[in-house]
Amino acid sequence: MKCCEPVSLFYYEENKGGGEYQAMTQLTHFNEQGASRMVDVSKKEDTDRVAIAHAKIIMKPETFQLIMDKKIQKGDVLEVARVAGIMASKQTCTLVPMCHPLNLTSVKIDFTNNAVNEIDVLSEVRVTGKTGVEMEAITAAAVCAITIYDMCKAADKGMVISDIHLVKKTGGKSGTFIFDKDA
Amino acid sequence: MKCCEPVSLFYYEENKGGGEYQAMTQLTHFNEQGASRMVDVSKKEDTDRVAIAHAKIIMKPETFQLIMDKKIQKGDVLEVARVAGIMASKQTCTLVPMCHPLNLTSVKIDFTNNAVNEIDVLSEVRVTGKTGVEMEAITAAAVCAITIYDMCKAADKGMVISDIHLVKKTGGKSGTFIFDKDA
Amino acid sequence: MKCCEPVSLFYYEENKGGGEYQAMTQLTHFNEQGASRMVDVSKKEDTDRVAIAHAKIIMKPETFQLIMDKKIQKGDVLEVARVAGIMASKQTCTLVPMCHPLNLTSVKIDFTNNAVNEIDVLSEVRVTGKTGVEMEAITAAAVCAITIYDMCKAADKGMVISDIHLVKKTGGKSGTFIFDKDA
Amino acid sequence: MKCCEPVSLFYYEENKGGGEYQAMTQLTHFNEQGASRMVDVSKKEDTDRVAIAHAKIIMKPETFQLIMDKKIQKGDVLEVARVAGIMASKQTCTLVPMCHPLNLTSVKIDFTNNAVNEIDVLSEVRVTGKTGVEMEAITAAAVCAITIYDMCKAADKGMVISDIHLVKKTGGKSGTFIFDKDA
Amino acid sequence: MKCCEPVSLFYYEENKGGGEYQAMTQLTHFNEQGASRMVDVSKKEDTDRVAIAHAKIIMKPETFQLIMDKKIQKGDVLEVARVAGIMASKQTCTLVPMCHPLNLTSVKIDFTNNAVNEIDVLSEVRVTGKTGVEMEAITAAAVCAITIYDMCKAADKGMVISDIHLVKKTGGKSGTFIFDKDA
Amino acid sequence: MKCCEPVSLFYYEENKGGGEYQAMTQLTHFNEQGASRMVDVSKKEDTDRVAIAHAKIIMKPETFQLIMDKKIQKGDVLEVARVAGIMASKQTCTLVPMCHPLNLTSVKIDFTNNAVNEIDVLSEVRVTGKTGVEMEAITAAAVCAITIYDMCKAADKGMVISDIHLVKKTGGKSGTFIFDKDA
């Protein structure tokens, strides 16, 4: 009985002898049965790539005011959250299983807002590499917002993190993507 | 000129001599100037604590169908995302700067949905410890949703992760919290 | 259409209203549909636990002699491998998805051999906790042997790591296990 | 008394004065006394490199059947193990002390078997870089097999992981290596 | 030929048969040959422990002024360095090979100074556990100072980090230690 | 009320409609308000870069003698410390928030001394990349010295780590730096 034919990624050479296991000396090709894998980007060009992502955290106006007044017990909320987001972008490939490790060349995080009960997080990540940095930008924005939650949760456990999405990406074979909020 | 009086956490003993720097042999007390810190939980009891968190990812119905049909090239999306979320919960204190390291005793992630264009992620984390696992549950749910994004982004870059929030927590001095969506 | 009923871990309360998603305020119970999870050990006692594991690496006698003569270019093979194994035991829960984080109280690695073309690695790990340290001991032995491979691979790429198994474990509800090589 | 002459890696310039320690402004050359080090690959070319590794886990036929029937309590064993192996390959340089950090471009893991009491793990790793990915492939296969052990150990603590070895590598100055099981 | 008698940590039972390797079913005792190991603390009591450490970074007065004026291009130097030190304390056992993993209950970092060309870093770490947190406090102070270096190195590459030492520790069997700068 | 204008990194396009948040489809430029960020090196050339750093640890002559005699209980102090320093250099970008991830091509650590109560640590790190490895060399030397402290602290808690600084760096646009101890 074979255990794994339905998900087998490899074609094997013929067994070269009567030993305990097959000598698998050549993996010529991959089938398309959908087993999880880190997609092969070895034939792609190194190009300049940029990704921008967004996250929003919604809170009580009183919590927003505490952040603005720097009265949260754990410290300057936005500065700590920014550091957390930047550091998280560098951990993306250890968090997201199929992400490629990449030598990020730039990570920036900024904050803005459109109302007195929310903070918008914007992250921008750059790389010169064979694959894009969408996941790094999304991870940076998400962990930044999660850190805002952590810093303020003693005051407001009902905060909601929302609207995490890719804003824009450029570079690479698939070209430019711009988020269309009405799509 | 003193560099740091406004954010000084410590009161020092008197300088014991004329040396190059002060002999700081006793830290008696902490002021309240708000410098970032990992909050001291050393006097808290070890109690059983549970936290449940939620995240939602919204996508095109076609993408949802691809996941259901297990046709995404990178593998079984929900199973990989579940593993990613469980593993991320164990990395929480290396991602969120002021989180305490904890010996989690249980992590579970489940999926449900209310429409053909979304997946809801629910995480549940348990610990016997001096502080709660809200951040671990939120991190698990968020990274799980981010992994769904990664697994499907070749098909749908416009997915949005939303409604990340604590659903419920029990245990600890502050007692039970239940999310009120109308608050 | 529901996406995930077959693997659902949770039973939800009734939807409390007509909002965008359900208010999930109580997770009462877990079904047994086999979704991956970190097994709940929150009700288990903290007890003293020990696990011992073994790994063997087989090489050319000339390579063995190089190690004994400390002539490998990268350094003292066994000492570096020992450090690697000890450090890896502390990373077990970030490598093995369903492992619990634990505060290991002791890690030791030793080497022996029964022939001039092999080295046996023995690891011993201890903890006072709610779950055992079998995986920590196995990971320590395996990474120790992998490091021996790395240190010597310039001389001998055909080395084989073999016989990685639990030797013995004590403590915990399931009691003592002793490996039976004839089983 | 000098502490470290026998293992000194560097030749220093002459002490430039009578200060507390020597001004070491030039490291001109390295001796060959065998101190551990990450081998210098800075002069090597970036070339395409592939490595394939194997691991086998031997178990009771009943355990094998549980995996095939997806009846293991912790989840779909092979899928979780595959994710663990892929993620571990990205952690190789933090586990194996003298390994170089590398931007892996592809990681794949597959399963096969030759008997009803064993599973064979095959990993394939690719990179465009100055050094090969043998250790990444071996680490992926080993951690994948260790995770199978973890997922099944409640049913079968006597499983043995065996035959971890490099199957094939191509690329780089040392050219192609194919494992010869009869060597 | 035995490879490792001089550094063997274990005494083995008699070989139980003529198999390929010895069945090592009991590790009764450890010799004292000095092989590296994580010291066994499994018999120690869980007690409250505190450690305070210091580091100093010396710089040009102009650099000090840039930090005070928050004119460093990379951001608010002291706040970023504080976050880095707190996060590093949680990574201590992955950096220092023989350190035990611990559930830190409090980490604080503060800054002071005695001259216009230096900043003093003070860290305080607490735990309830079987071993102390001296290394966590020292790591926090050191990484905090290293981060100050990184944030300012575009302006001043000649900065020197100095006087990293334990200031005080309390708790545990060995009792209280207070640094004596004239020792 | 806007939360974050004073630290805003980005200029946004005009709001494209009346939606809940702005469509941020273009980041044209960065202001100079000093928010922390990983500096953008994406336009820099890949060049060969080398950095050498130093750290010193001062101890009681009796402790020094224990190290030389390899009588420290935890193992061969200098060899373990060397491995720790090499491994730490690869963790630099996860410790120092604004450091770029880099594929180090060489890491070496050596020891020397000028007196019977001190050990000097020298680290050398190389990379071919867009930014230098000063922080990796400093981190390697510092963690190596911290590990010496850990290995010996049972005998001597009063050890002091001192004189951590960059010794020399070459490569990159800013050219060569040589530490001037009299500066």
Side-chain angles (χ1 to χ4, degrees), chain E residues 116-137:
Chain E
V116 297
N117 68 338
E118 64 166 56
I119 294 172
D120 291 274
V121 180
L122 279 167
S123 61
E124 189 214 62
V125 180
R126 289 170 184 264
V127 79
T128 304
K130 294 179 190 301
T131 184
V133 284
E134 294 93 321
M135 300 320 298
E136 284 76 7

Side-chain angles (χ1 to χ4, degrees), chain D residues 1-4 12-15 17-24, chain F residues 54-57 64 111-122:
Chain D
M1 188 177 91
K2 286 284 172 178
C3 70
C4 312
Y12 304 111
E13 285 193 308
E14 286 302 295
N15 192 333
E20 192 183 339
Y21 59 91
Q22 287 175 285
M24 287 148 295
Chain F
H54 169 270
K56 179 165 67 179
I57 182 162
F64 181 84
F111 302 103
T112 186
N113 70 318
N114 290 297
V116 297
N117 68 339
E118 64 168 55
I119 294 172
D120 290 273
V121 180
L122 279 167

Side-chain angles (χ1 to χ4, degrees), chain F residues 1 33 48 53 57-59 65 74 77 79 84 90 97 100 108 121-122 126 144 163 165 173 176:
Chain F
M1 186 179 90
Q33 288 152 336
D48 292 330
I57 182 162
I58 304 161
M59 60 194 69
Q65 200 57 49
K74 286 184 178 184
V77 173
E79 192 58 32
K90 295 186 277 187
H100 299 79
K108 297 187 181 93
V121 180
L122 279 167
R126 290 170 185 264
C144 183
D163 292 305
H165 63 80
K173 201 172 151 193
T176 295

Side-chain angles (χ1 to χ4, degrees), chain B residues 19-88:
Chain B
E20 193 184 337
Y21 59 90
Q22 287 174 286
M24 287 148 293
T25 55
Q26 202 176 13
L27 301 178
T28 54
H29 142 165
F30 301 96
N31 64 29
E32 293 301 334
Q33 288 153 334
S36 61
R37 64 187 198 240
M38 190 200 283
V39 170
D40 189 351
V41 299
S42 56
K43 300 300 175 224
K44 294 172 104 176
E45 294 295 308
D46 281 315
T47 63
D48 291 331
R49 296 155 188 272
V50 184
I52 298 166
H54 169 269
K56 179 165 66 179
I57 181 163
I58 305 161
M59 60 195 68
K60 290 187 282 193
E62 302 90 296
T63 309
F64 181 84
Q65 202 55 50
L66 283 172
I67 295 173
M68 291 303 100
D69 297 347
K70 304 201 178 196
K71 288 191 174 158
I72 293 293
Q73 184 191 24
K74 287 185 178 183
D76 181 341
V77 173
L78 298 184
E79 193 58 34
V80 175
R82 193 198 308 268
V83 174
I86 291 171
M87 293 182 86

Side-chain angles (χ1 to χ4, degrees), chain C residues 27-100:
Chain C
L27 300 178
T28 54
H29 137 171
F30 300 95
N31 64 29
E32 293 302 333
Q33 288 153 334
S36 60
R37 65 186 196 241
M38 190 200 286
V39 170
D40 189 350
V41 298
S42 56
K43 301 299 175 226
K44 295 172 103 175
E45 294 295 309
D46 281 314
T47 62
D48 291 330
R49 295 154 188 274
V50 185
I52 299 167
H54 169 268
K56 180 164 66 179
I57 182 163
I58 304 160
M59 61 194 69
K60 291 187 282 194
E62 302 90 296
T63 310
F64 181 84
Q65 201 56 50
L66 283 172
I67 294 173
M68 290 303 100
D69 296 347
K70 304 203 179 196
K71 288 191 172 160
I72 293 293
Q73 184 191 26
K74 286 183 178 185
D76 180 342
V77 173
L78 298 185
E79 192 58 32
V80 175
R82 192 197 309 268
V83 173
I86 291 171
M87 294 181 85
S89 71
K90 296 186 277 188
Q91 293 294 93
T92 302
C93 83
T94 65
L95 292 170
V96 181
M98 303 305 148
C99 271
H100 299 80

